[in-house]
């Protein structure tokens, strides 16, 4: 990364300061990653991911419900969404996103545009592409909000991207609310062609664990090296990079840091997979807090985070917040017990100094 290496202490004649970076350069790809680690798209682009599953087993006659959008409708929705995001990205203007982007996806780009307006070297978030469309998860739920997932891979997407869109009411557009890359080595589960039944987040029926508990488990797994979920959610590129980033920051000799990943908002959704398991999408907030160890010490933000904080130095506390988008696979009850993190990314969403 430009500037100091993560966790390096910066000293002046009359004070000490620990540098708090907003992102981390990963060894797999030599790219400027000041703002965030875009796993599978930027930071780990050199590690290939398996292709997303393009087809799913045909539904059985016993399956209920039909998908709420057909292929032609979904294609139009994705094209309009990708065009709106491209217009916003080209102009670095979040006002161009409102008709087709909301939630975590809107927050990520709003803050990215602010940072890039102040720091010319800060990278853009990966583009949203409507094609090639690899596979979909289309809800059969007739009530609103209605949620769908599209797996696409186009120009600028090194690996497939997982796009979650939601329609809040019958009179509103489907809007992109979450976007994350498929992680290296992951395979996207199949869903019935007729549509995927949604599962209540607290419903464990037929699953090894409820979606709500799995989301909380991933948050704990990312927060604690000795998490009780360590054996149930295996290591992957995102988990390893997250702990590497946290470890690098924690090495600062003149400050104390805490790290916490927390489920947030109301965007989480769960769908029944073709094999009886579940696909779960959810946002988390990843919070990094740094406090100086001694009077006169300071925690220094790098330029990208300082653009959101309104200042670079903290004598009391510095805070970075990242919005994480994660996608999980929960196996059916009676099968393998491990929950798999199949997609994840993080984008800087806030910073403060005091």
């Amino acid at each position: 990364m430009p500037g100091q290496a993560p966790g390096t202490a910066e000293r002046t004649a009359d004070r000490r300061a620990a540098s708090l970076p907003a992102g981390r350069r990963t060894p797999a790809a030599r790219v400027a990653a000041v703002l965030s680690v875009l796993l599978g798209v930027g930071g780990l682009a050199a590690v290939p991911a398996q292709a997303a599953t393009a087809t799913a087993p045909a539904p059985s006659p016993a399956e209920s419900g039909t998908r709420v959008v057909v292929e032609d409708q979904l294609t139009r929705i994705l094209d309009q969404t990708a065009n709106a995001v491209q217009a916003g990205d080209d102009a670095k203007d979040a006002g161009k996103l409102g008709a087709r982007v909301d939630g975590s996806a809107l927050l990520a780009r709003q803050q990215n545009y602010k940072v890039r307006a102040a720091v010319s070297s800060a990278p853009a978030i990966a583009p949203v592409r409507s094609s090639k469309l690899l596979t979909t998860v289309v809800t059969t739920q007739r009530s609103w909000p209605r949620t769908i997932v599209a797996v696409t891979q186009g120009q600028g997407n090194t690996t497939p991207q997982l796009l979650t869109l939601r329609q809040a009411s019958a009179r509103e557009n489907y809007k992109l609310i979450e976007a994350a890359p498929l992680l290296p080595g992951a395979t996207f589960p199949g869903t019935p062609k007729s549509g995927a039944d949604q599962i209540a987040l607290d419903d464990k029926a037929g699953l090894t664990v409820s979606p709500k508990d799995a989301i909380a488990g991933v948050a704990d797994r990312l927060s604690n090296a000795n998490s009780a979920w360590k054996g149930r959610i295996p290591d992957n590129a995102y988990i390893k990079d997250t702990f590497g980033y946290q470890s690098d920051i924690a090495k600062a000799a003149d400050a104390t840091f805490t790290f916490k990943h927390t489920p947030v908002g109301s965007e989480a959704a769960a769908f029944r997979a073709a094999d009886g398991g579940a696909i779960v999408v959810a946002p988390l907030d990843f919070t990094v807090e740094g406090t100086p160890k001694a009077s006169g010490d300071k925690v220094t933000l790098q330029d990208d985070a300082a653009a959101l904080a309104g200042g670079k130095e903290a004598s009391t506390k510095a805070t970075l917040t990242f919005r994480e988008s994660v996608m999980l696979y929960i196996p059916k009850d009676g099968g393998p017990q491990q929950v798999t993190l199949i997609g994840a990314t993080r984008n800087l969403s806030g910073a403060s100094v005091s």
Side-chain angles (χ1 to χ4, degrees), residues 25-224:
R25 186 197 298 265
T26 63
R30 301 301 177 186
V31 295
V34 182
L35 176 62
S36 58
V37 180
L38 301 175
L39 297 177
V41 177
L44 291 175
V47 185
Q50 296 176 14
T53 303
T55 59
S60 70
E63 286 177 340
S64 62
T66 56
R67 50 191 291 152
V68 296
V69 295
V70 297
E71 288 295 329
D72 287 348
Q73 290 173 308
L74 180 56
T75 297
R76 288 196 298 272
I77 290 166
L78 289 171
D79 286 345
Q80 291 165 0
T81 300
N83 289 339
V85 173
Q86 187 66 59
D89 287 353
D90 289 344
K92 299 178 188 177
D93 180 2
K96 296 182 179 295
L97 302 176
R100 285 293 177 179
V101 187
D102 203 358
S104 296
L106 179 59
L107 175 64
R109 277 185 152 77
Q110 283 174 329
Q111 301 301 71
N112 179 253
Y113 297 163
K114 289 178 185 177
V115 169
R116 290 167 60 209
V119 183
S120 60
S121 61
I125 295 176
V128 170
R129 303 301 188 203
S130 59
S131 60
K132 180 179 176 182
L133 179 61
L134 301 177
T135 190
T136 62
V137 182
V138 179
T139 184
T140 60
Q141 179 176 293
R142 311 313 294 183
S143 60
W144 283 271
R146 295 175 174 179
T147 305
I148 59 181
V149 176
V151 184
T152 68
Q153 186 171 12
Q155 184 179 3
N157 302 141
T158 306
T159 63
Q161 58 182 173
L162 314 175
L163 306 176
T164 303
L165 301 100
R166 180 164 293 175
Q167 185 184 37
S169 71
R171 296 184 179 274
E172 295 190 48
N173 291 328
Y174 275 91
K175 295 184 178 182
L176 180 70
I177 59 171
E178 302 279 348
L182 185 71
L183 290 175
T187 300
F188 193 84
T191 57
K193 291 180 180 179
S194 61
D197 291 340
Q198 281 193 240
I199 306 168
L201 296 179
D202 60 356
D203 186 359
K204 184 181 179 293
L207 301 172
T208 58
V209 63
S210 73
K212 181 179 179 180
D213 287 345
I215 296 167
V218 168
D220 187 73
R221 175 77 169 87
L222 292 168
S223 299
N224 305 302

